[in-house]
């Protein structure tokens, strides 16, 4: 909300500077987003009256004027404005004046005629003005007075970021009430006296939607001059609050909204057929709104209607066909309370909102309507003339105000500051909260303008705001602390992150909301978890894989010309199960580009499957990871493997499918992995054992096997038959060629054996080696000659 500081200070004027007032409001929960000057800095400009005006003898478009600027003598000024004339009062910049942009006024000659100043337009002063030419001032503007003082240009414009629970502060009345409570300054509200009816004309009002509309007031005002000019003071306050002046009647309703916080509407009485009814819309009804958009009404829309048709969308916007124009002579003023639940969400549904819907959906004071209509009536009569009829009112279901208990001891416990009952009572009174006190417990009745006070914590927050957050000491907590046990079988997540960072990966954090296309392409998930209210169309589902986010990060880095990318993410994924939903934690990584950063010592080679496989094995250590050929929607069909630990699948590793490389416009395929986070954090209990003092024995096995037989199958067979003395079996050579038949390959393994208590002999070694050989022969292997 934007408002004028001068307007606020006409209601409450604390002994605070602009900066201090801004800080006070922010610390009280009404965040000041911006404070700007109402007009740019300038000086030396006064009000002057044109006494003489003749045509310049050497220029068709210039006039030579003599003006009275309150200096005691007439000043000659040459002016080119089309609207300069004898008798007008205008801003006059005297010699020595400095206009916006550091433009200095000096005596000069214009086409041979002396000019001792400058007559100013609103644009030249940085003041909004629709007139083409000089800024014309009222005939009673005091000659010689500073234009800054006359127009109040030393004003400051505050912009507040009001939270949804503080709808009571969406008006000058509400902000002034808040400032008075915070500072103790006297509140000087506008006196509102009932306007006695001078005619008997009235329209009956009826509330059918009694839960949606708690109160409705209407009043007929006849014989108004809707074409009357809006007073300059009102137009100025509206403009400084961000609203443009439209017409006197509309400006008055907008002014009441800003001043009192009560949205109002005015109907052209001649366009109403019969009485006014507040009801829900009927099937097939439509309404042309003031913004020239036609709305097809639905049964859940609240409307203001006459006996023939819908006139306005209740709490949102009036209708074009029943609106007031400059030709209107008789009007019907409306002031109502609409329940927030009846208005909330309508603006979003319809695709447009208004200042009225913004306030009604947050909650408007349900006792304010009569004051608002009386204030509006008085302004209409003063500005537009006319005769007012009686106020017609109907009351339905108004919100019930519950009593909320506030314990003195609870205030001290939550705030950490001991306040006695007297201090708390004084704060509640300043806030306009009525209460009774018994046994150190306040029973507080929230006023009609505070919809946000429902529980004890709401009242504690109010006490804290007025007492001052800065006044609460920042005491360090004092308590006993103990370190939580860290199970030896679990590796902390930070260690997983550090391990990957140590292998040259950088951590990224991406949205859990993703494009549905990613789920289909990278996870093969045709039925992802959908969001009811997505923040964007491309973020409509929850991810079941981290791969999409990593590909997106890669694409962003490639677009920024990064030659090498290695990133990882540890986060939750989400998918449906028979029992509902699951959200396990995963860790995924991506490597693309050269294996090492560019340098002179090694040849540049592209990262491949085996580089990332080594990273995965290091991540899962001390568990021994094995790989098994697999297929996955995201990966190349021949370059994808399932990662197993103790025979259980814990993840997948592979090169991105060529189809997705092309679809996502990548220059080459990255290599990715995705693992269950639990597999990376699990580790066996550490067992201490003596290091053998005896020499190890090494034997080599060279086996000829079918090309289709994998090393992993052989390793599994060895593991099933290995003796206790066999410490390690490692593949050290693969050979295809001369001496090995077509369709075969030679695999050479080193077998290391060792005992902790003695030196091994041939009698120990040969049986262990034979057991391994028999396991290999069982898979069709032959001992190479």
């Amino acid at each position: 909300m934007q408002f004028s500081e001068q307007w606020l200070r006409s209601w409450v004027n604390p002994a605070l500077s602009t900066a201090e007032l801004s800080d006070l409001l922010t610390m009280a929960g009404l965040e000041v987003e911006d404070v700007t000057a109402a007009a740019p800095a300038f000086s030396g400009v006064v009000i002057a009256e044109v006494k003489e005006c003749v045509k310049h003898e050497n220029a068709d478009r210039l006039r030579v004027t003599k003006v009275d600027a309150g200096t005691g003598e007439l000043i000659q000024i040459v002016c080119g404005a089309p609207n300069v004339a004898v008798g007008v009062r205008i801003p006059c910049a005297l010699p020595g004046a400095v206009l916006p942009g550091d433009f200095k006024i000096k005596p000069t000659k214009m086409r041979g005629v002396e000019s001792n100043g400058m007559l100013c337009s609103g644009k030249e002063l940085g003041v909004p003005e629709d007139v083409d030419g000089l800024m014309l001032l009222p005939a009673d503007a005091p000659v010689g007075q500073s234009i800054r003082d006359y127009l109040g240009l030393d004003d400051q414009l505050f912009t507040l970021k009001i939270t949804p629970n503080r709808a009571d502060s969406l008006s000058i009345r509400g902000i002034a009430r808040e400032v008075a409570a915070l500072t103790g300054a006297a509140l000087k509200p506008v006196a509102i006296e009932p306007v006695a009816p001078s005619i008997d004309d009235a329209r009956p009002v009826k509330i059918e939607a009694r839960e949606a509309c708690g109160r409705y007031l209407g009043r007929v005002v006849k014989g108004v001059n809707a074409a009357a000019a809006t007073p300059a003071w009102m137009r100025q306050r509206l403009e400084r609050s961000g609203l443009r002046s439209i017409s006197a009647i509309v400006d008055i309703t907008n002014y009441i909204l800003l001043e009192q916080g009560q949205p109002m509407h005015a109907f052209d009485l001649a366009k109403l057929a019969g009485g006014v009814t507040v009801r829900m819309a009927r099937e097939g009804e439509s309404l042309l709104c003031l913004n020239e958009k036609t709305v097809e009404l639905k049964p859940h829309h609240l409307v203001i209607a006459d006996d023939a048709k819908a006139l306005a969308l209740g709490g949102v916007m009036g209708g074009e066909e029943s609106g007031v124009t400059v030709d209107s002579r008789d009007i019907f003023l409306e002031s109502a309370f609409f329940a927030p639940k009846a208005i909330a969400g309508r603006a979003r549904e319809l695709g447009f909102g208004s200042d009225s819907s913004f306030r009604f959906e947050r909650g408007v004071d349900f006792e304010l309507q009569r004051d608002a209509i009386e204030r509006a009536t008085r302004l209409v009569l003063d500005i537009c003339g006319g005769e007012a009829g009686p106020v017609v009112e109907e009351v339905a279901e108004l919100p019930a105000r519950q009593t909320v208990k506030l314990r003195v001891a609870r205030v001290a416990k939550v705030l950490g500051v001991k306040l006695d009952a007297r201090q708390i009572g004084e704060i509640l009174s300043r806030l306009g909260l009525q209460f009774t006190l018994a046994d150190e417990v306040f029973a507080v009745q929230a006023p009609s303008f505070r919809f946000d006070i429902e529980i004890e914590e709401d009242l504690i927050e109010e006490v804290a705001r007025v007492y001052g957050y800065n006044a609460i000491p920042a005491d360090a907590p004092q308590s006993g602390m103990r370190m939580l046990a860290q199970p030896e079988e679990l590796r902390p997540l930070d260690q997983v992150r550090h391990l990957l960072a140590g292998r040259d990966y950088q951590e990224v954090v991406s949205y859990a909301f993703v494009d549905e296309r990613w789920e289909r392409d990278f996870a093969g998930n045709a039925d992802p978890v959908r969001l009811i209210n997505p923040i964007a169309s491309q973020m409509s589902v929850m991810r079941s894989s981290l791969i999409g986010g990593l590909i997106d990060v890669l694409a962003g880095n490639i677009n920024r010309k990064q030659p090498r990318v290695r990133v990882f993410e540890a986060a939750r994924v989400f998918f449906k199960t028979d029992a509902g939903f699951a959200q396990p934690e995963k860790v995924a990584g991506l490597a693309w580009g050269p294996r090492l950063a560019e340098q002179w010592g090694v040849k540049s080679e592209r990262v491949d499957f085996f580089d990332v496989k080594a990273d995965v094995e290091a991540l899962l250590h001390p568990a021994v990871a094995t790989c098994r050929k697999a297929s996955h929607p995201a990966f190349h069909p021949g370059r994808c493997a399932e990662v197993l630990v103790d025979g259980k699948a814990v993840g997948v590793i592979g090169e991105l499918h060529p189809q997705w490389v092309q679809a996502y416009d990548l220059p080459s395929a990255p290599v990715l992995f995705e693992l269950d986070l639990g597999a990376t954090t699990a580790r066996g209990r550490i067992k201490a054992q003596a290091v053998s003092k005896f020499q190890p024995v090494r034997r080599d096995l060279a086996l000829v096997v079918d090309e289709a037989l994998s090393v992993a199958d052989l390793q599994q067979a060895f593991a099933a038959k290995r003796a206790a003395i066999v410490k390690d079996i490692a593949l050290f050579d693969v050979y295809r060629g001369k001496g090995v038949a077509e369709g075969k390959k030679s695999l050479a393994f080193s077998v290391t054996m060792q005992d902790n208590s003695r030196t091994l002999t041939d009698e120990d070694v040969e049986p262990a080696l034979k057991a391994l050989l028999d396991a290999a022969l069982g898979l069709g292997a032959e001992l190479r000659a």
Side-chain angles (χ1 to χ4, degrees), residues 311-326:
L311 303 172
L313 267 170
V316 179
M317 189 171 291
E320 179 71 24
E321 295 176 359
S322 62
V324 171
T325 68
V326 292

Side-chain angles (χ1 to χ4, degrees), residues 163-300:
T163 53
N165 64 315
R166 292 305 308 275
D168 61 293
S169 296
L170 289 170
S171 65
I172 291 295
R173 178 178 182 159
I175 298 169
R177 186 170 50 216
E178 187 78 4
V179 172
L182 294 169
T183 63
L187 183 63
K188 299 173 288 185
V190 173
I192 301 176
E193 298 292 338
V195 175
S198 57
I199 56 175
D200 296 330
D201 296 67
R203 289 293 174 98
V205 299
K206 180 182 178 182
I207 301 176
E208 290 183 0
R210 302 186 72 79
E211 291 184 1
C213 178
R215 190 194 304 273
Y216 190 94
L217 291 85
R219 185 175 219 165
V220 170
V221 183
K222 290 192 139 186
V224 301
N225 176 17
T230 302
W233 61 267
M234 180 180 288
R235 190 169 62 250
Q236 182 188 86
R237 287 179 173 180
L238 289 174
E239 289 171 350
R240 292 184 184 180
S241 298
L243 297 182
R244 64 183 178 89
S245 176
I246 298 173
S247 68
I249 299 295
V250 175
D251 289 350
I252 288 168
T253 59
N254 285 338
Y255 185 80
I256 297 300
L257 177 140
L258 293 172
E259 181 189 75
Q260 301 292 327
Q262 172 64 49
M264 292 190 65
H265 186 63
F267 297 96
D268 188 326
L269 189 65
K271 299 174 182 177
L272 304 189
V276 175
T277 303
V278 185
R279 60 172 172 81
M280 306 311 292
R282 294 167 184 157
E283 205 66 53
E285 283 188 305
S286 63
L287 178 69
L288 176 62
C289 295
L290 288 172
N291 60 1
E292 300 182 348
K293 292 187 177 181
T294 299
V295 176
E296 299 300 324
L297 299 174
K298 299 178 182 177
H300 62 273

Side-chain angles (χ1 to χ4, degrees), residues 138 202 235-236 292 306 330 368 394 507 538 645 677:
R235 190 169 62 250
Q236 182 188 86
E292 300 182 348
D306 60 12
D330 305 323
L368 181 60
E394 181 162 355
E507 186 174 12
Q538 71 274 17
V645 173
L677 186 62

Side-chain angles (χ1 to χ4, degrees), residues 770-785:
K770 185 176 184 307
L772 298 177
L773 181 59
D774 290 343
L777 296 178
L779 295 177
E782 299 175 359
L783 192 63
R784 185 177 175 185

Side-chain angles (χ1 to χ4, degrees), residues 373-440:
I373 202 167
E374 296 288 3
R375 173 77 165 139
T377 303
R378 173 49 58 198
L379 289 171
V380 169
L381 297 180
D382 290 347
I383 297 169
C384 303
E387 297 177 297
V391 174
V392 181
E393 177 179 9
E394 181 162 355
V395 178
E397 299 179 18
L398 294 173
R401 297 283 82 185
Q402 302 295 328
T403 298
V404 182
K405 298 291 181 67
L406 175 64
R407 296 163 288 173
V408 173
R410 181 66 177 165
V411 173
K413 184 173 183 180
V414 173
L415 299 184
V417 176
K418 187 172 179 58
L419 300 177
D420 58 35
R422 182 192 59 79
Q423 292 173 289
I424 295 173
E426 181 183 335
I427 289 173
L428 296 178
S429 297
R430 286 161 59 181
L431 289 167
L433 305 179
Q434 297 180 349
F435 62 86
T436 58
L437 175 63
D439 299 326
E440 295 287 288

Side-chain angles (χ1 to χ4, degrees), residues 440-671:
E440 295 287 288
V441 177
F442 290 88
V444 182
Q445 184 79 28
S448 57
F449 55 83
R450 292 301 296 269
F451 281 77
D452 59 320
I453 296 179
E454 297 179 340
I455 59 176
E456 186 175 29
E457 283 69 21
D458 295 330
L459 291 172
I460 294 174
E461 180 186 4
E462 294 302 296
V463 172
R465 289 193 316 107
V466 178
Y467 179 75
Y469 292 119
N470 290 334
I472 299 175
D475 295 333
Q478 297 180 358
S479 63
M481 299 180 68
R482 63 185 180 87
M483 189 176 292
L484 296 176
Q486 175 65 50
E488 192 176 347
E489 296 83 2
L490 289 178
R491 173 190 288 153
L493 178 58
D494 278 348
Q495 285 191 16
V496 175
R497 291 189 172 108
H498 290 160
L499 195 153
L500 283 166
R503 297 189 74 85
D504 212 13
Y505 287 83
Q506 291 182 307
E507 186 174 12
V508 299
V509 178
S510 62
Y511 277 106
F513 313 142
V514 299
D515 193 330
E516 187 174 357
R517 177 188 175 196
W518 293 3
E519 283 297 290
R520 186 173 58 251
D521 293 350
F522 301 130
N525 186 2
D527 187 24
V529 178
R530 298 185 181 278
L531 297 171
I532 296 174
N533 186 25
I535 60 176
S537 59
Q538 71 274 17
M539 304 174 80
S540 59
V541 301
M542 302 292 285
R543 65 186 175 197
S544 64
S545 169
L546 301 178
I547 292 174
L550 296 179
I551 296 295
D552 188 54
V553 170
L554 172 62
N557 277 272
I558 290 174
N559 289 339
R560 288 160 179 79
K561 307 301 181 185
Q562 292 297 317
R564 181 173 181 269
V565 178
R566 293 172 76 92
V567 291
F568 79 94
E569 181 172 14
R572 290 190 182 277
V573 296
F574 309 84
F575 52 84
K576 298 178 182 178
T577 65
D578 293 338
F581 300 97
Q583 44 182 340
E585 292 183 293
K586 300 273 188 178
V587 59
L590 174 148
W592 176 85
R595 179 177 293 123
L596 298 172
E598 186 177 9
Q599 57 161 301
W600 59 270
V602 294
K603 182 180 178 182
S604 178
E605 295 180 341
R606 204 178 85 180
V607 67
D608 61 21
F609 177 94
F610 297 101
D611 295 314
V612 177
K613 177 174 176 285
D615 295 331
V616 170
E617 290 175 343
L619 187 59
L620 294 171
H621 182 80
V624 177
T626 57
C627 291
R628 180 173 63 196
K629 184 178 179 181
S631 62
H632 189 281
F635 297 137
H636 191 297
R639 299 172 187 173
C640 172
E642 200 172 32
V643 181
L644 302 108
V645 173
D646 297 330
K648 178 185 175 183
V650 297
V652 66
I653 181 174
E655 187 178 288
L656 190 66
H657 198 293
Q659 178 183 357
W660 309 137
V661 174
Q662 183 177 7
Y664 289 85
D665 199 23
L666 303 177
S668 59
V671 183

Side-chain angles (χ1 to χ4, degrees), residues 15-67:
L16 299 174
S17 66
T18 299
E20 290 169 336
L21 179 60
S22 172
D23 182 66
L24 175 77
L25 290 172
T26 297
M27 292 307 298
L30 306 182
E31 181 184 350
V32 178
E33 279 194 307
D34 194 19
V35 178
T36 57
F42 63 85
S43 62
V45 181
V46 299
I47 298 172
E49 180 181 354
V50 178
K51 295 295 187 178
E52 297 179 17
C53 180
V54 296
K55 185 175 178 296
H56 194 294
E57 58 186 15
N58 297 322
D60 293 338
R61 296 185 180 181
L62 295 180
R63 299 288 184 273
V64 179
T65 68
K66 289 188 177 180
V67 302

